[in-house]
Amino acid sequence: MYRYDAYDQRAVDERVAQFRDQTRRYLAGELTEDEYRPLRLQNGLYIQRHAPMLRIAVPYGLFSSAQLRMLAHVARTYDKGYGHFTTRQNIQFNWPALEDVPEILAQLATVQMHAIQTSGNCIRNITSDAFAGVAGDERIDPRPWCEILRQWSSFHPEFAHLPRKFKFAVNGAEEDRAVIQAHDIGLDVIRNEAGEIGFRVLVGGGLGRTPIIGEQIAGFVPWQHIVTYCESILRVYNLHGRRDNKYKARIKILVKALGIEEFRRQVEAEWAHVKNGPSTLTEAEVARVAAHFVDPAYETLPAHDAAYAEALADNKPFAAWARRNVRAHKVPGYASVVLSLKKTGVPPGDISAEQMELVAELADAHSYGEVRATHQQNLVLADVRQSELFKLWQTLRDAGLATPNIGLLTDIIACPGGDYCALANAKSIPIAQAIQERFDDLDYLYEIGDIDLNISGCMNACGHHHVGHIGVLGVDKNGEEWYQVTVGGAQGNQASLGKVIGPSFAAHEMADVVSSLIETYVENRHEDERFIDTVRRLGIEPFKTNVYGKRQQERKVAHG
């Protein structure tokens, strides 16, 4: 993984010192709230419903065991003993005292972590495939390119005050596991017919109040020019993006307003001025960064470990976990393991300080000291020997990190919602817990198969509800919490936006609504057909009819 050089460390240390003084001045009354607000947002500090919230950057979801131990220390010392992983592969702390934040950032800097550009109208944390570098379907490792973009975008003065926040995602595999079609800029690392590396570039995607699937602006940009091309996109956006209306300020609105052809024309015109300028990448620069992402010293192992195969045959709970939480690895004899942060009764994405410390130990023992965060709010140990999987499972099981539900209905993506967020219209966590409790039956979960269920507490869509097979959005109705439901959304290569099935529901109805949706699927599916496939074949009407028909009948019975 990437390690700071002297320039990186100095930049972060100087920012910490700067923010420490800014916070001191604010607490002393020398800065007003309006003056302090943009300063704290530049350092990932929000003021939420009950307390400040600090969002820490985890570049492209990759961090070390030492960094995870520091996060555990922060959780235990300055928070309430836990953290929350987000859909941007970052981690949030929901209860730090404002006066402690500069010291938290100073301690994070000692392990090469920061909160810079995790908020504000700038380029946010660049996300990628949590299985980068180890996936069997990978064309090109995206991590060096993510790091190049991170270094280019960090502290970039021209893009520090964009019309609105700006998000990149980078994919390098056949299967898109980074949701590049739902980002302001999505990059697909590919090879052309001559075998040269370049990028398919998508632009204008995004969720939130106006969800849009991104459009292709360039089929192949040579690697040397990817920074200047992205720079050109951002310049056009910075020039023409709306600044008078924050709900229409994202680049997706500009692309739709101009049309992709006109937007492309303007980008190409801008690019003509900078294409071979100082930001053009060189082989030496790419090699410098790529050297941080070489494979660890893998052992030569048999492709199939006999003891692992025997444990699968003899232990059904272990086999169930391996089927859902263990992924194939590009190197024979190894596997990647997903640690579920979706145990029933625990808010999705939450992890305790004790669990963080355990995961750090396990990363050192089994995965070369590295951990990954997924945008589905789980963790990954990417390089585990097959021979060690059974022992690892036993430890994870005892720690509550081995729920065998990855990709299943209870592997819910959810934002913190109204329990914490000042922007939320409704709570997310109680809805997630009610659904998890209703479907806390692994046999039934395996029977109904792969289903993505995503929950957002407001239109900002931090829970990515638009691309959930089932999406839940919290809405406000006269001061009461209600929930709008969509079906048919999807991420991946065939990304799509869900469609609203009808009027919203009260909180107490949500588990029943999901049950009705699942019943409709089970009654209508073809053999080996996933939920999303059934929705695409039948449309939303059968699901809508069943949900609202049952609701109407229940009301008649109650009225009678």
Side-chain angles (χ1 to χ4, degrees):
M1 62 183 293
Y2 181 76
R3 305 289 184 184
Y4 283 8
D5 59 17
Y7 180 86
D8 293 308
Q9 192 66 54
R10 178 180 174 183
V12 171
D13 289 342
E14 288 180 351
R15 170 57 73 87
V16 169
Q18 180 189 57
F19 185 61
R20 191 189 292 277
D21 185 60
Q22 291 165 344
T23 302
R24 178 195 61 76
R25 290 158 60 201
Y26 169 70
L27 293 173
E30 298 170 15
L31 291 176
T32 67
E33 177 62 42
D34 287 342
E35 290 171 328
Y36 184 63
R37 184 183 300 110
L39 304 177
R40 64 172 169 78
L41 289 175
Q42 289 172 6
N43 293 279
L45 182 62
Y46 292 77
I47 302 301
Q48 296 288 69
R49 191 176 297 274
H50 305 294
M53 180 272 281
L54 181 64
R55 181 181 296 142
I56 309 302
V58 183
Y60 36 94
L62 180 62
F63 52 105
S64 69
S65 57
Q67 291 172 331
L68 190 54
R69 288 188 180 92
M70 177 57 74
L71 293 173
H73 166 72
V74 170
R76 181 178 290 111
T77 307
Y78 300 102
D79 205 271
K80 293 191 175 183
Y82 66 93
H84 173 78
F85 281 101
T86 77
T87 51
R88 289 214 66 72
Q89 300 176 296
N90 291 321
I91 187 169
Q92 296 178 178
F93 293 105
N94 291 308
W95 298 98
L98 189 150
E99 57 269 24
D100 289 335
V101 171
E103 182 57 27
I104 294 172
L105 295 177
Q107 294 187 30
L108 288 168
T110 66
V111 292
Q112 305 187 352
M113 298 192 85
H114 61 74
I116 298 162
Q117 293 181 206
T118 60
S119 179
N121 295 333
C122 57
I123 298 172
R124 299 286 187 90
N125 190 43
I126 294 166
T127 59
S128 191
D129 181 5
F131 301 96
V134 300
D137 68 336
E138 187 169 82
R139 297 181 299 253
I140 299 156
D141 189 344
R143 293 174 298 172
W145 305 104
C146 290
E147 179 57 29
I148 286 169
L149 291 170
R150 185 197 70 81
Q151 294 187 25
W152 158 72
S153 62
S154 294
F155 298 107
H156 198 303
E158 186 177 353
F159 307 135
H161 298 286
L162 294 167
R164 197 73 172 87
K165 58 187 176 182
F166 203 92
K167 299 177 180 180
F168 279 77
V170 187
N171 175 60
E174 294 297 331
E175 178 188 353
D176 173 20
R177 289 180 287 269
V179 207
I180 62 172
Q181 295 179 69
H183 281 76
D184 298 292
I185 291 180
L187 300 177
D188 208 11
V189 197
I190 59 175
R191 294 184 187 273
N192 63 12
E193 293 180 355
E196 299 164 324
I197 294 176
F199 295 81
R200 183 172 72 95
V201 183
L202 307 178
V203 70
L207 303 178
R209 185 173 296 271
T210 308
I212 295 175
I213 296 296
E215 299 184 73
Q216 181 173 301
I217 187 173
F220 187 83
V221 175
W223 62 265
Q224 296 93 332
H225 303 298
I226 191 56
V227 169
T228 57
Y229 194 81
C230 291
E231 212 164 51
S232 300
I233 291 174
L234 277 151
R235 284 203 174 122
V236 172
Y237 169 54
N238 211 7
L239 181 64
H240 298 299
R242 296 280 297 270
R243 296 179 187 271
D244 61 329
N245 186 334
K246 70 176 183 178
Y247 301 117
K248 297 183 178 180
R250 297 293 292 272
I251 193 174
K252 60 189 176 184
I253 304 299
L254 177 63
V255 172
K256 281 297 179 183
L258 294 176
I260 189 64
E261 294 299 332
E262 173 59 18
F263 187 80
R264 181 185 293 114
R265 186 195 68 76
Q266 293 196 27
V267 169
E268 294 283 343
E270 177 62 37
W271 195 33
H273 297 294
V274 299
K275 184 175 181 180
N276 293 301
S279 294
T280 304
L281 294 173
T282 64
E283 289 187 2
E285 174 62 8
V286 173
R288 178 188 71 83
V289 176
H292 293 277
F293 300 97
V294 296
D295 286 343
Y298 293 123
E299 298 177 19
T300 301
L301 301 171
H304 303 287
D305 181 78
Y308 173 49
E310 184 178 348
L312 289 174
D314 293 345
N315 192 306
K316 288 185 178 180
F318 173 63
W321 173 79
R323 185 163 65 249
R324 300 308 313 190
N325 297 44
V326 175
R327 290 180 57 95
H329 196 286
K330 69 176 185 180
V331 176
Y334 285 83
S336 296
V337 174
V338 184
L339 282 56
S340 174
L341 303 186
K342 312 294 178 62
K343 182 180 179 181
T344 298
V346 177
D350 278 12
I351 183 171
S352 70
E354 292 74 21
Q355 287 174 321
M356 289 187 218
E357 289 173 336
L358 174 64
V359 174
E361 292 177 13
L362 295 175
D364 285 336
H366 300 287
S367 196
Y368 300 97
E370 288 187 358
V371 184
R372 284 101 177 287
T374 76
H375 75 265
Q376 293 96 344
Q377 300 174 290
N378 293 309
L379 297 179
V380 170
L381 298 179
D383 299 297
V384 181
R385 297 171 185 83
Q386 288 182 11
S387 60
E388 298 173 350
L389 286 171
F390 185 76
K391 178 182 178 182
L392 176 62
W393 167 70
Q394 290 176 310
T395 304
L396 293 172
R397 179 194 57 190
D398 294 342
L401 295 169
T403 306
N405 64 345
I406 300 304
L408 299 176
L409 183 61
T410 58
D411 184 17
I412 296 171
I413 292 175
C415 70
D419 284 303
Y420 299 99
C421 182
L423 300 176
N425 294 316
K427 295 181 176 67
S428 299
I429 294 170
I431 304 304
Q433 291 179 332
I435 295 169
Q436 288 175 323
E437 290 169 3
R438 174 67 61 88
F439 291 92
D440 195 17
D441 180 340
L442 287 173
D443 290 336
Y444 186 53
L445 287 177
Y446 295 146
E447 180 187 334
I448 59 180
D450 292 349
I451 298 180
D452 295 339
L453 195 154
N454 298 14
I455 307 173
S456 298
C458 75
M459 271 293 191
N460 285 318
C462 293
H464 292 184
H465 66 277
H466 296 293
V467 292
H469 298 161
I470 299 172
V472 178
L473 168 65
V475 295
D476 182 296
K477 278 191 175 184
N478 300 318
E480 295 182 354
E481 297 181 2
W482 288 71
Y483 297 87
Q484 185 184 82
V485 175
T486 58
V487 297
Q491 53 186 334
N493 296 2
Q494 294 182 301
S496 59
L497 302 173
K499 295 180 180 179
V500 178
I501 64 171
S504 55
F505 304 91
H508 72 270
E509 298 178 289
M510 283 308 304
D512 291 334
V513 169
V514 174
S515 292
S516 295
L517 294 173
I518 299 305
E519 288 169 8
T520 307
Y521 160 59
V522 171
E523 290 169 2
N524 291 277
R525 66 181 172 182
H526 290 168
E527 187 176 357
D528 297 328
E529 192 174 48
R530 299 171 304 159
F531 180 90
I532 184 62
D533 300 323
T534 302
V535 174
R536 286 172 173 168
R537 176 171 56 84
L538 297 178
I540 70 170
E541 286 305 318
F543 297 88
K544 178 178 180 178
T545 298
N546 194 29
V547 170
Y548 290 99
K550 282 194 171 184
R551 193 180 181 206
Q552 187 94 12
Q553 185 62 34
E554 288 168 0
R555 285 181 172 179
K556 286 181 179 179
V557 170
H559 179 71

Short mmCIF file of all heavy atoms in Angstrom, two decimals, residues 54 56 104 127 201 254 256 258 265 281 289 304 347 358 366 383 414 445 456 465 485 520:
data_model
loop_
_atom_site.label_atom_id
_atom_site.label_comp_id
_atom_site.label_asym_id
_atom_site.label_seq_id
_atom_site.Cartn_x
_atom_site.Cartn_y
_atom_site.Cartn_z
N LEU A 54 -16.81 13.26 12.91
CA LEU A 54 -15.53 13.37 12.21
C LEU A 54 -15.41 12.24 11.21
O LEU A 54 -15.48 11.06 11.58
CB LEU A 54 -14.38 13.33 13.22
CG LEU A 54 -12.97 13.46 12.62
CD1 LEU A 54 -12.79 14.83 11.96
CD2 LEU A 54 -11.92 13.24 13.71
N ILE A 56 -13.04 10.27 8.63
CA ILE A 56 -11.63 10.02 8.33
C ILE A 56 -11.51 9.39 6.94
O ILE A 56 -12.24 8.46 6.60
CB ILE A 56 -11.02 9.06 9.37
CG1 ILE A 56 -11.30 9.55 10.80
CG2 ILE A 56 -9.52 8.89 9.13
CD1 ILE A 56 -10.81 10.92 11.10
N ILE A 104 -7.07 14.52 17.86
CA ILE A 104 -7.38 13.28 17.12
C ILE A 104 -6.66 13.30 15.77
O ILE A 104 -6.01 12.32 15.38
CB ILE A 104 -8.90 13.13 16.91
CG1 ILE A 104 -9.61 12.92 18.24
CG2 ILE A 104 -9.20 11.97 15.96
CD1 ILE A 104 -11.13 12.95 18.14
N THR A 127 -12.85 6.23 -4.55
CA THR A 127 -13.17 4.85 -4.19
C THR A 127 -12.84 3.89 -5.32
O THR A 127 -12.68 4.29 -6.47
CB THR A 127 -14.66 4.72 -3.81
OG1 THR A 127 -15.47 5.13 -4.92
CG2 THR A 127 -15.00 5.58 -2.61
N VAL A 201 -14.06 6.64 -19.87
CA VAL A 201 -14.44 7.69 -18.93
C VAL A 201 -15.94 7.92 -18.98
O VAL A 201 -16.51 8.16 -20.06
CB VAL A 201 -13.70 9.01 -19.23
CG1 VAL A 201 -14.06 10.07 -18.19
CG2 VAL A 201 -12.19 8.79 -19.26
N LEU A 254 -25.46 19.64 -15.00
CA LEU A 254 -24.83 20.35 -16.12
C LEU A 254 -24.76 19.47 -17.36
O LEU A 254 -25.07 19.93 -18.47
CB LEU A 254 -23.43 20.81 -15.72
CG LEU A 254 -22.61 21.51 -16.81
CD1 LEU A 254 -23.30 22.80 -17.25
CD2 LEU A 254 -21.19 21.79 -16.32
N LYS A 256 -26.66 16.95 -18.17
CA LYS A 256 -28.01 16.79 -18.71
C LYS A 256 -28.49 18.07 -19.40
O LYS A 256 -29.16 18.01 -20.44
CB LYS A 256 -28.99 16.39 -17.60
CG LYS A 256 -28.92 14.93 -17.22
CD LYS A 256 -29.32 14.03 -18.39
CE LYS A 256 -29.23 12.56 -18.02
NZ LYS A 256 -29.53 11.68 -19.17
N LEU A 258 -26.64 20.46 -20.84
CA LEU A 258 -25.92 20.69 -22.09
C LEU A 258 -26.11 19.56 -23.10
O LEU A 258 -26.06 19.79 -24.31
CB LEU A 258 -24.42 20.86 -21.81
CG LEU A 258 -23.98 22.08 -21.02
CD1 LEU A 258 -22.48 22.03 -20.75
CD2 LEU A 258 -24.34 23.37 -21.76
N ARG A 265 -17.81 18.32 -26.30
CA ARG A 265 -17.16 19.32 -27.15
C ARG A 265 -16.40 20.33 -26.30
O ARG A 265 -15.25 20.69 -26.61
CB ARG A 265 -18.20 20.02 -28.02
CG ARG A 265 -17.59 20.98 -29.05
CD ARG A 265 -18.62 21.92 -29.63
NE ARG A 265 -19.14 22.87 -28.65
CZ ARG A 265 -18.47 23.95 -28.23
NH1 ARG A 265 -17.25 24.22 -28.70
NH2 ARG A 265 -19.00 24.76 -27.33
N LEU A 281 1.23 12.53 -17.49
CA LEU A 281 1.94 11.51 -16.72
C LEU A 281 3.12 10.93 -17.51
O LEU A 281 3.06 10.80 -18.74
CB LEU A 281 0.99 10.39 -16.32
CG LEU A 281 -0.12 10.76 -15.35
CD1 LEU A 281 -1.09 9.60 -15.17
CD2 LEU A 281 0.46 11.18 -14.00
N VAL A 289 4.70 5.37 -8.32
CA VAL A 289 3.51 5.08 -7.53
C VAL A 289 3.20 3.59 -7.53
O VAL A 289 2.88 3.01 -6.49
CB VAL A 289 2.31 5.90 -8.06
CG1 VAL A 289 1.04 5.53 -7.31
CG2 VAL A 289 2.59 7.40 -7.94
N HIS A 304 -5.87 -26.24 -4.27
CA HIS A 304 -6.95 -26.66 -3.38
C HIS A 304 -6.34 -27.30 -2.14
O HIS A 304 -5.68 -28.34 -2.23
CB HIS A 304 -7.89 -27.63 -4.09
CG HIS A 304 -8.49 -27.07 -5.34
ND1 HIS A 304 -9.46 -26.11 -5.33
CD2 HIS A 304 -8.20 -27.33 -6.65
CE1 HIS A 304 -9.78 -25.80 -6.57
NE2 HIS A 304 -9.03 -26.51 -7.39
N PRO A 347 -26.01 -1.85 14.16
CA PRO A 347 -26.21 -0.96 13.02
C PRO A 347 -25.24 -1.31 11.89
O PRO A 347 -24.04 -1.49 12.13
CB PRO A 347 -25.92 0.43 13.59
CG PRO A 347 -26.25 0.31 15.04
CD PRO A 347 -25.82 -1.09 15.42
N LEU A 358 -8.93 -6.59 17.03
CA LEU A 358 -8.87 -7.98 16.63
C LEU A 358 -8.61 -8.10 15.14
O LEU A 358 -7.76 -8.91 14.70
CB LEU A 358 -10.17 -8.70 16.99
CG LEU A 358 -10.27 -10.15 16.49
CD1 LEU A 358 -9.20 -11.02 17.15
CD2 LEU A 358 -11.66 -10.71 16.74
N HIS A 366 -2.72 -13.09 9.08
CA HIS A 366 -3.25 -13.84 7.94
C HIS A 366 -3.27 -13.08 6.61
O HIS A 366 -3.51 -13.70 5.57
CB HIS A 366 -4.70 -14.26 8.23
CG HIS A 366 -4.87 -15.14 9.41
ND1 HIS A 366 -4.47 -16.47 9.44
CD2 HIS A 366 -5.38 -14.88 10.65
CE1 HIS A 366 -4.75 -17.00 10.61
NE2 HIS A 366 -5.30 -16.06 11.37
N ASP A 383 -5.80 -11.50 1.48
CA ASP A 383 -4.76 -12.48 1.12
C ASP A 383 -4.62 -13.58 2.17
O ASP A 383 -3.59 -13.69 2.83
CB ASP A 383 -3.42 -11.77 0.95
CG ASP A 383 -3.43 -10.74 -0.15
OD1 ASP A 383 -3.63 -11.12 -1.32
OD2 ASP A 383 -3.25 -9.54 0.15
N ALA A 414 -26.80 0.94 4.97
CA ALA A 414 -27.63 1.97 5.61
C ALA A 414 -26.76 3.11 6.10
O ALA A 414 -25.69 2.89 6.66
CB ALA A 414 -28.42 1.39 6.79
N LEU A 445 -32.81 -17.10 3.96
CA LEU A 445 -31.99 -16.15 3.22
C LEU A 445 -31.30 -16.83 2.04
O LEU A 445 -31.24 -16.27 0.93
CB LEU A 445 -30.95 -15.52 4.14
CG LEU A 445 -31.45 -14.49 5.16
CD1 LEU A 445 -30.30 -14.02 6.04
CD2 LEU A 445 -32.09 -13.29 4.46
N SER A 456 -31.55 4.87 2.92
CA SER A 456 -31.05 6.24 3.12
C SER A 456 -32.06 7.00 3.97
O SER A 456 -33.27 6.88 3.77
CB SER A 456 -30.88 6.97 1.79
OG SER A 456 -29.92 6.34 0.96
N HIS A 465 -29.66 4.16 -1.87
CA HIS A 465 -30.92 3.42 -2.02
C HIS A 465 -31.37 3.31 -3.47
O HIS A 465 -32.08 2.38 -3.84
CB HIS A 465 -32.02 4.08 -1.17
CG HIS A 465 -32.40 5.45 -1.61
ND1 HIS A 465 -31.68 6.57 -1.26
CD2 HIS A 465 -33.42 5.89 -2.39
CE1 HIS A 465 -32.25 7.64 -1.80
NE2 HIS A 465 -33.31 7.26 -2.49
N VAL A 485 -40.42 3.40 -1.03
CA VAL A 485 -39.78 2.15 -1.43
C VAL A 485 -39.62 2.11 -2.95
O VAL A 485 -40.55 2.43 -3.69
CB VAL A 485 -40.58 0.93 -0.95
CG1 VAL A 485 -39.98 -0.37 -1.48
CG2 VAL A 485 -40.63 0.90 0.58
N THR A 520 -43.65 -11.90 -3.34
CA THR A 520 -43.95 -11.73 -4.76
C THR A 520 -42.85 -12.33 -5.63
O THR A 520 -43.13 -13.00 -6.63
CB THR A 520 -44.11 -10.23 -5.09
OG1 THR A 520 -45.05 -9.64 -4.19
CG2 THR A 520 -44.57 -10.03 -6.52
#
